[in-house]
Amino acid sequence: MTACGEKNIFLQEWDTPYGIPPFEKIRISDYMPAIKEGIRLQEAEIQAIIDNPDAPDFENTVAAYDRSGEVLSKVTAVLFNVSESDYSDALNKVVEEATPLISAHGDNIMMNAGLFARVKAVYEADQSALTREEQMLLKDLYEGFIRNGVGLDEAGQARLKEINSELSMLTLTFGNNLLAQSNAFKEELGFPVSSYYDKMASEPDRALREKIFNLYSTRANHGDEFDNKAVVLREMELRIEKARLLGYDTPASFILSDKMAGDPGTVDAFLGNIMDSAMRRAKEEVADMQKEMDKDIAAGLLPAGSRIRPWDYMYYAEKVRKARFDLDEEEVSQYFKMENVRKGVFATASRLYGISFEPLEGIALYNPEAEAFKVSDSDGSLIGVIITDYYPRDSKRGGAWMTNFVEQCEGVRPVIVNVGNFNKPTEEKPSLLTIDQVETMFHEFGHALHGLLSQCKYKGTSGTSVKRDFVEFPSQVNENWAFEPEVLATYAFHYQTGEVIPEELVKKVQAASNFNQGFTTGELCAASILDMKWHELSSVEGIDVDAFEKQVCSQMGLIPEIIPRYRSTYFNHIFGSSGYSAGYYSYLWAEVLDKDAFELFRQKGIFDPDTAMGLRRGILEKGGSEEPMTLYRAWRGADPDPGALLRARGL
C-alpha cells in the first residue's frame, strides 16, 4: 500500500491546521481504497490483541481496542458527514459500496470470540485499580459484545450479520428517497422543506396552505420509486427478528435495556402524562384559533361552517399570537441576522465556560458555505475547531445536527461541525433567522460544546458518547440562554440600523415563549409515541403503514388538527438511521433535566461562574466516563424534578 498511500490522502498523515481534514485534496476515488485498507489495518490490530501472549488486562486489550481503527475512523468520518451535507451521485455510490463492508466489519469485531474472551477476562477480574472512566469503557465494550451477538451460535451470528447488512442499506435507501422527495417539494413550491413552518404560519391562501401541507405530510408516500412504506415495514421486520435473536420480545425492549429509561413501560407512561397535558392545552388553542377563523368567515373570506384543519393551525395560531402579544415574527427576525446570532452563541459560551472563538481564514472546507472557528481555553490552549454550515441546499438533508470530523481523545482535540437549514441570504437581505431557528442554533451548539469541551482519555467515552436519552441534555440546556434579555443584548441588532432589540419587543418574545405549547409539545410527543409503537411491535404481518399511524394517533388522543412532527415515511431519525429508534422520546426525557438544571441557574444567576464551571467540569468534560444520573446528581446536588418540564412549557 506504500504507492497507494503516497497518492491517497486518507493513508497519509494530515499536516493541516488543527487536524481539519484536507478537503481540497480529497478525491472521490480515495474513499474506497482507504476504507478497504482501514478495515485491513484494524483487522490486523484486532488480531494482534488476540495473539498477545501476555495475560489480558485493560491496557493490552480494552485500551488497545479503543486505539484501533484510526484510518477507518478518519475516512468514514469524512465520508458520512460530507454525504449528508454535500451529497452527490458519485459520493452516494461510494456510500452504497462502503456501507455493507463497514457493517460486516463491525459485526466481525463484535462477534469475534477470541477478542471477547480477552475482554471478558478483564471484565471479570478485579477492577478496583481502574479509573472510573476505564471501568465505564470496559463495561460498555463488554455489554456491546453481548448486545451485538457474540453469544449466538454460528447460525444465529450468520443471520444477524445478514440482518445488519440489509438494515444498513435500507436506512440509506430511506434517506435517499427522503432527500429526493424534499427536493421535489422545493421544486414544486419554490421554497425548501426547512421553510415549511414559516410558510404555514404566514400564507393567507388557504388552498395553497392545504397544498403545502399535503405535499409536506406525504413525502415518500406516493406509491412511486421514492415511496418509503415498504422500507419502513422491512426495517421493522428485520428489527423485530434481530431483537428476538438477542432474546427480547420487541425492538423497544432490546433498545431500551441499556438506556436511562430502562424499559418501554417507563417511556410510555412518561409520554402519556405529557400528551394528556399537551392535548388539554391544544383544545384550548383550537378554540382560540376558531374565533379568529370566524372573523374571516364573517368578512366573507371563508365559506360558512369552515373549521380549523391541520393546514390552518399555524396560520391562525400566528393570528392569535399577534392579537394576544402584539408579536410579529417578521419584525423580530429583523434583529436575528445569522452572523450576529452566531456571535451571541459564542459570546454566551465564552461567558459561561471561559472559552474564546477565532475565525479561521483561508482553510478549504467541504463546501464554500461552511466556515471554521478555532476554539481556545482561557489559558490560550486549544479546545478544538467548530465548523458551521447553516444554509439549505439540494445536496443537504433536512434538519440540523452536530457531528465530529475528528473525535477528542488523549492528545487529540476535536473538529466538530454544526449543520443547519436556516434562511438563506438574498440579494436584498442577509440571513434573518426565525425565533425557532435561533433556538435551533443554540441547541446544536450545546451538542458542539459537549464534543468540544470533552476531556476524556478514550474515544469510546469522549464527548457525546453517552446514553441516547442523555445526549440531548447539553444541547437543550444551552437553549435556555437564547432569549434572556442579557443575552439578546449581545446579538439581537437590527440588520439595517444596528439598533439593539427594544426592551418592549424582548418582553413580547418572552411573554409569548410558552404560546402554542399544546401544538409544539403535542406534535413532538406524538412523534415520540409513534416511534415507540412501531418498536413495540412483535410482528408487522398485515400492517398498513397509513392505517397503523392513524390507529396510533387515535389511541394516543392526538386531536385531528395536529399530526406528528414526523410521519413514518419521513421519520429520518428512526428509519433513516437507527440512532433514535425507540429513542425519539429522548428530547422530552432530557428536557426534564435541562429545565431542572436551568432552574438552578435562575436561583444562582444565569451566568453564575461556580454553577457554569461546575456544569463544564462535572458534565460537559466527562462524556460517557460515568453514568449520566451520577454526573447530574453530583452537579445539581439532587435528583431532577419531573415537574420542571411542564412548568417550563406552561402546561
Side-chain angles (χ1 to χ4, degrees):
M1 292 298 297
T2 304
C4 181
E6 290 173 356
K7 299 176 182 177
N8 192 315
I9 192 64
F10 291 110
L11 303 179
Q12 303 173 32
E13 290 292 324
W14 290 349
D15 183 18
T16 60
Y18 315 110
I20 298 172
F23 293 105
E24 77 282 8
K25 296 180 181 178
I26 295 172
R27 302 165 300 181
I28 294 286
S29 59
D30 289 335
Y31 285 109
M32 283 312 304
I35 285 171
K36 290 175 180 177
E37 177 65 357
I39 288 173
R40 187 193 71 78
L41 288 170
Q42 190 170 26
E43 286 174 343
E45 290 166 333
I46 298 296
Q47 195 58 47
I49 294 171
I50 296 168
D51 293 341
N52 190 329
D54 295 335
D57 61 24
F58 181 87
E59 182 59 32
N60 68 24
T61 301
V62 180
Y65 172 73
D66 189 72
R67 290 191 294 268
S68 72
E70 183 180 347
V71 169
L72 185 60
S73 295
K74 187 160 70 169
V75 62
T76 54
V78 174
L79 173 63
F80 291 116
N81 285 332
V82 174
S83 69
E84 294 216 316
S85 51
D86 209 18
Y87 169 99
S88 68
D89 289 339
L91 201 58
N92 190 54
K93 287 178 182 176
V94 174
V95 173
E96 288 180 344
E97 184 180 354
T99 295
L101 294 181
I102 294 165
S103 175
H105 175 59
D107 285 338
N108 289 337
I109 292 174
M110 287 291 106
M111 296 180 194
N112 187 312
L115 180 60
F116 177 63
R118 290 185 67 93
V119 172
K120 184 180 181 184
V122 181
Y123 183 77
E124 293 179 345
D126 179 9
Q127 297 185 21
S128 60
L130 301 181
T131 67
R132 185 57 183 149
E133 181 181 355
E134 290 168 347
Q135 290 174 356
M136 286 294 293
L137 182 65
L138 172 57
K139 172 180 175 287
D140 289 346
L141 181 57
Y142 175 81
E143 292 178 353
F145 275 101
I146 304 297
R147 294 177 63 80
N148 284 282
V150 76
L152 297 176
D153 60 21
E154 188 175 342
Q157 288 189 350
R159 179 58 191 144
L160 184 56
K161 289 178 181 180
E162 291 172 352
I163 290 170
N164 288 341
S165 179
E166 187 175 351
L167 279 171
S168 69
M169 296 306 293
L170 284 166
T171 56
L172 182 61
T173 299
F174 185 99
N176 288 343
N177 287 345
L178 178 54
L179 179 62
Q181 289 280 273
S182 295
N183 286 337
F185 174 96
K186 179 183 176 183
E187 189 173 339
E188 173 85 9
L189 295 167
F191 60 86
V193 165
S194 58
S195 298
Y196 170 75
Y197 286 90
D198 298 335
K199 292 291 184 182
M200 292 299 281
S202 60
E203 176 52 60
D205 185 334
R206 193 185 192 203
L208 180 53
R209 287 201 309 272
E210 183 177 2
K211 178 182 180 180
I212 296 168
F213 171 82
N214 287 331
L215 285 171
Y216 180 86
S217 63
T218 60
R219 281 176 294 153
N221 191 9
H222 297 291
D224 57 14
E225 62 182 311
F226 302 117
D227 194 295
N228 270 332
K229 290 192 294 292
V231 180
V232 167
L233 291 174
R234 182 58 178 160
E235 281 195 46
M236 287 314 311
E237 185 177 23
L238 291 170
R239 288 175 182 177
I240 290 165
E241 185 183 355
K242 178 175 179 175
R244 284 193 177 146
L245 262 178
L246 295 167
Y248 294 85
D249 294 334
T250 66
S253 296
F254 167 61
I255 292 164
L256 290 165
S257 62
D258 73 338
K259 304 298 185 292
M260 292 174 73
D263 60 80
T266 299
V267 176
D268 290 342
F270 171 72
L271 294 174
N273 290 336
I274 296 171
M275 195 66 178
D276 289 345
S277 298
M279 289 305 97
R280 281 195 296 272
R281 175 60 59 81
K283 290 171 184 175
E284 296 170 2
E285 291 169 0
V286 171
D288 290 339
M289 290 187 290
Q290 188 62 50
K291 292 174 185 175
E292 292 294 324
M293 178 177 270
D294 289 345
K295 294 177 185 177
D296 286 348
I297 294 171
L301 300 175
L302 293 174
S306 295
R307 307 296 296 174
I308 296 292
R309 300 295 300 275
W311 47 89
D312 299 316
Y313 208 111
M314 285 170 265
Y315 179 73
Y316 282 97
E318 186 62 19
K319 279 180 172 284
V320 174
R321 180 165 70 166
K322 285 182 181 178
R324 186 172 299 170
F325 303 103
D326 190 26
L327 180 65
D328 185 338
E329 175 94 39
E330 286 192 22
E331 180 188 2
V332 177
S333 290
Q334 311 299 305
Y335 295 89
F336 293 156
K337 182 180 175 182
M338 185 282 285
E339 292 84 354
N340 290 342
V341 178
R342 184 172 57 192
K343 285 179 184 176
V345 169
F346 290 171
T348 302
S350 297
R351 192 166 171 190
L352 285 167
Y353 308 118
I355 59 181
S356 60
F357 301 82
E358 175 189 340
L360 292 175
E361 308 291 351
I363 293 177
L365 300 173
Y366 59 87
N367 186 282
E369 291 180 338
E371 300 175 77
F373 299 83
K374 175 186 174 184
V375 188
S376 302
D377 213 338
S378 56
D379 62 0
S381 61
L382 178 67
I383 290 282
V385 169
I386 174 73
I387 296 169
T388 64
D389 178 9
Y390 285 146
Y391 301 134
R393 50 182 175 266
D394 292 347
S395 61
K396 184 193 287 187
R397 73 169 171 87
W401 63 93
M402 163 270 180
T403 189
N404 301 53
F405 277 111
V406 178
E407 284 187 278
Q408 182 272 327
C409 61
E410 187 176 41
V412 176
R413 296 314 303 166
V415 177
I416 308 289
V417 60
N418 270 177
V419 185
N421 280 275
F422 303 149
N423 297 328
K424 267 194 145 172
T426 65
E427 289 184 8
E428 295 79 28
K429 290 181 181 178
S431 172
L432 299 175
L433 307 190
T434 66
I435 291 172
D436 284 346
Q437 289 173 343
V438 171
E439 191 170 79
T440 297
M441 190 188 287
F442 272 84
H443 176 101
E444 296 306 332
F445 194 72
H447 282 307
L449 287 169
H450 203 186
L452 285 165
L453 296 175
S454 177
Q455 293 289 343
C456 294
K457 186 173 182 179
Y458 304 101
K459 287 185 292 184
T461 54
S462 76
T464 57
S465 299
V466 299
K467 294 185 188 300
R468 179 63 67 179
D469 43 12
F470 188 67
V471 77
E472 295 300 333
F473 166 64
S475 57
Q476 291 182 184
V477 77
N478 202 56
E479 294 175 23
N480 288 282
W481 280 271
F483 302 114
E484 288 293 314
E486 209 174 333
V487 176
L488 283 166
T490 69
Y491 73 82
F493 305 107
H494 195 280
Y495 80 99
Q496 290 175 315
T497 67
E499 172 201 14
V500 69
I501 189 168
E503 184 180 352
E504 178 185 351
L505 197 51
V506 173
K507 288 178 179 177
K508 290 179 183 179
V509 170
Q510 292 194 313
S513 62
N514 281 329
F515 176 70
N516 211 30
Q517 278 300 320
F519 174 85
T520 304
T521 308
E523 65 158 10
L524 172 58
C525 195
S528 303
I529 293 171
L530 178 60
D531 166 36
M532 289 301 299
K533 294 310 171 190
W534 273 119
H535 289 91
E536 287 170 359
L537 289 172
S538 55
S539 171
V540 293
E541 187 175 352
I543 285 184
D544 173 86
V545 171
D546 292 334
F548 177 77
E549 271 190 16
K550 187 175 181 180
Q551 179 186 24
V552 169
C553 289
S554 174
Q555 290 173 345
M556 74 174 75
L558 185 67
I559 61 175
E561 294 87 354
I562 300 176
I563 65 169
R565 177 173 292 184
Y566 301 106
R567 295 189 64 196
S568 301
T569 58
Y570 54 91
F571 206 158
N572 203 53
H573 284 77
I574 66 171
F575 293 121
S577 72
S578 60
Y580 283 85
S581 302
Y584 196 67
Y585 75 92
S586 300
Y587 289 94
L588 288 164
W589 184 274
E591 192 172 339
V592 172
L593 302 179
D594 99 64
K595 298 309 181 193
D596 179 73
F598 202 67
E599 286 184 356
L600 179 63
F601 276 100
R602 288 239 179 267
Q603 294 165 19
K604 303 282 189 178
I606 65 167
F607 287 106
D608 178 63
D610 291 340
T611 308
M613 290 308 289
L615 181 61
R616 172 180 172 174
R617 305 293 185 207
I619 293 180
L620 299 177
E621 291 185 0
K622 295 292 187 181
S625 63
E626 179 55 277
E627 294 290 351
M629 283 308 299
T630 302
L631 294 176
Y632 188 83
R633 286 191 197 103
W635 170 71
R636 184 67 167 90
D639 284 335
D641 177 358
L645 181 149
L646 295 179
R647 283 196 298 275
R649 285 181 175 254
L651 298 173

